[in-house]
């Protein structure tokens, strides 16, 4: 796994998700290492590195999307932590989760807020 997409993605993963991101990748090694590699290469190597949005904005969008999906608590927790890692304040995150009550419903917003708590 030494291609440039992988290397760039691993750098982004470390910067954004830190240890939690590496734990996700490591947990896939015994069941599907290809999914671990794809996770590093595509979202982190290809998407997070694109111009147009800063990493903080990308994490806000990710937290909102995972909240709206409503069934992604482990990934939501990783990205709530990531949002803090890249400069979101706790107040900003709470406002994003509150905003999701309008568009994703109260159950999704409540579950996300409890995950953030």
């Amino acid at each position: 796994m030494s291609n440039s997409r992988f290397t760039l993605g691993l750098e982004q993963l470390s910067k954004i998700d830190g240890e939690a991101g590496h734990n996700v990748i490591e947990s896939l090694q015994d069941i599907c290492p290809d999914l671990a590699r794809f996770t590093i290469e595509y979202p982190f190597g290809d998407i997070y590195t694109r111009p147009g949005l800063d990493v903080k904005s990308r994490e806000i969008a990710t937290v909102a999307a995972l909240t709206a999906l409503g069934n992604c608590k482990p990934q939501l927790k990783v990205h709530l932590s990531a949002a803090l890692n890249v400069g979101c304040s706790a107040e900003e995150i709470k406002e994003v989760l509150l905003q999701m009550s309008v568009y994703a419903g109260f159950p999704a917003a409540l579950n996300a807020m409890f995950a953030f708590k």
Side-chain angles (χ1 to χ4, degrees), residues 64-107:
L66 291 171
T67 297
L69 285 170
N71 60 351
C72 303
K73 188 175 180 180
Q75 292 81 18
L76 176 60
K77 283 186 167 191
V78 168
H79 284 281
L80 288 166
S81 184
L84 292 169
N85 285 344
V86 300
C88 290
S89 69
E91 194 61 35
E92 288 173 317
I93 293 170
K94 288 187 276 186
E95 285 299 320
V96 169
L97 302 180
L98 183 59
Q99 180 79 15
M100 290 301 96
S101 70
V102 177
Y103 295 98
F106 275 85

